């Protein structure tokens, strides 16, 4: 039996689940101004996936890269959700 497809699907599902709180916490603490970090990480992971010879690990690294790239869009969507009141806004810090 070949379990690679099942493994990749499961890992992809877990990666998507992990990125939701990452995006929420990033927007809460830093806003959308760090979107470029997501871009660099996404391109780095996608680029690295091109050089990994094992098809399963290459796919998983590529999915992580796409997760970072998709996170850029979700950061801006999360900002809209906060503006609508669906998520808490970070209180201003007193100096």
């Amino acid at each position: 039996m070949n379990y690679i497809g099942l493994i990749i699907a499961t890992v992809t599902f877990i990666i998507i689940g992990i990125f939701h709180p990452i995006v929420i916490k990033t927007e809460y603490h830093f806003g959308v101004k760090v979107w470029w970090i997501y871009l660099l990480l996404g391109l780095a992971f996608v680029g690295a996936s091109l050089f990994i010879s094992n098809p399963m690990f290459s796919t998983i690294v590529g999915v992580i890269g796409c997760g970072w790239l998709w996170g850029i869009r979700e950061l801006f969507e999360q900002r809209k959700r906060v503006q609508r009141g669906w998520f808490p806004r970070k209180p201003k810090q007193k100096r």
Side-chain angles (χ1 to χ4, degrees), residues 19-90:
F19 270 99
H20 281 287
I22 289 173
V23 167
I24 292 168
K25 294 292 185 186
T26 301
E27 197 283 328
Y28 182 82
H29 291 290
F30 305 107
V32 297
K33 63 185 173 190
V34 295
W35 69 269
W36 59 272
I37 295 173
Y38 279 54
L39 177 65
L40 293 177
L41 286 169
L43 293 176
F45 274 90
V46 169
S49 73
L50 297 173
F51 296 100
I52 297 174
S53 61
N54 183 310
M56 183 172 72
F57 291 122
S58 174
T59 303
I60 291 170
V61 170
V63 168
I64 293 170
C66 289
W68 284 114
L69 295 173
W70 185 262
I72 296 169
R73 178 184 180 278
E74 286 300 314
L75 269 177
F76 288 95
E77 290 293 321
Q78 181 65 18
R79 179 172 62 179
K80 291 178 186 175
R81 292 181 202 116
V82 170
Q83 290 170 347
R84 292 179 186 141
W86 298 352
F87 284 86
R89 185 181 310 266
K90 185 174 182 181

